[in-house]
Amino acid sequence: MGMLDCRNCEGSAAVVGYVRRDDFLVPKGIYPAPPIVSVPPATPRPVVVELDAAFALFWVDLSSCANKIRVSLERLLDSLGLPQSPTLAKRIESIQGADKLQSEVFHALREVGNVGSHGSGVRRDVVLSAFEIYEHQLDILFSPGNGLRIESLARRIRATKGK
């Protein structure tokens, strides 16, 4: 066990893990856990609570981490006012006509959560990709300026045909 100090916020965190032969630290637990991705300040509290749990579990248990991503998605759908359905998949399908990309993102997060819920086969790279996808979707929903910036960049690239 050791302590890590952050140069940005001057905070510190306890780390449990091991050091490989090449002097690379492999954490197995960090407290308090750092956020894996940024979460906009306007994100609803129930979503943030579940994401914070997912960040903590990332270092300890990837299956549980993936499950918490799914639970946070359910809290997000609650906050968006989507009615309950017999399954999360059906709940997400209810928005498919309105926003196909958002539906695809939500289904991807659901599927990662499903793999985690069934306890095996969760890959670290897939969980990291899920966090990245989720971060982007939260930016679109709760940091509208960021979404507009991305749309502006995309239009600029399209206008020059990528040159």
Side-chain angles (χ1 to χ4, degrees), residues 13 66-67 73 75-76 79 91 97 116-117 127 136 138 144 160:
N67 179 266
L73 174 61
R75 298 297 78 82
L76 177 61
S79 74
R91 193 173 188 197
S117 296
V127 171
H136 180 70
L138 291 174
T160 62

Side-chain angles (χ1 to χ4, degrees), residues 22-102:
D22 59 359
D23 288 333
F24 186 80
L25 174 64
V26 180
K28 291 296 181 180
I30 302 176
Y31 183 82
I36 307 295
V37 295
S38 62
V39 178
T43 304
R45 186 78 185 131
V47 176
V48 173
V49 166
E50 299 300 340
L51 277 175
D52 284 346
F55 298 154
L57 288 164
F58 178 79
W59 307 100
V60 180
D61 183 347
L62 277 179
S63 292
S64 296
C65 171
N67 179 266
K68 283 296 184 181
I69 291 172
R70 179 192 163 104
V71 173
S72 82
L73 174 61
E74 291 173 12
R75 298 297 78 82
L76 177 61
L77 298 179
D78 293 343
S79 74
L80 295 175
L82 268 88
Q84 294 291 328
S85 292
T87 66
L88 182 55
K90 290 206 180 301
R91 193 173 188 197
I92 293 168
E93 286 168 10
S94 73
I95 63 167
Q96 191 164 344
D99 192 335
K100 179 107 171 105
L101 178 59
Q102 187 177 61

Side-chain angles (χ1 to χ4, degrees), residues 84-128:
Q84 294 291 328
S85 292
T87 66
L88 182 55
K90 290 206 180 301
R91 193 173 188 197
I92 293 168
E93 286 168 10
S94 73
I95 63 167
Q96 191 164 344
D99 192 335
K100 179 107 171 105
L101 178 59
Q102 187 177 61
S103 175
E104 284 297 309
V105 165
F106 290 164
H107 275 301
L109 297 173
R110 176 187 62 81
E111 288 170 347
V112 170
N114 284 351
V115 172
S117 296
H118 298 292
S120 65
V122 179
R123 293 188 359 228
R124 184 172 301 276
D125 64 315
V126 173
V127 171
L128 288 171

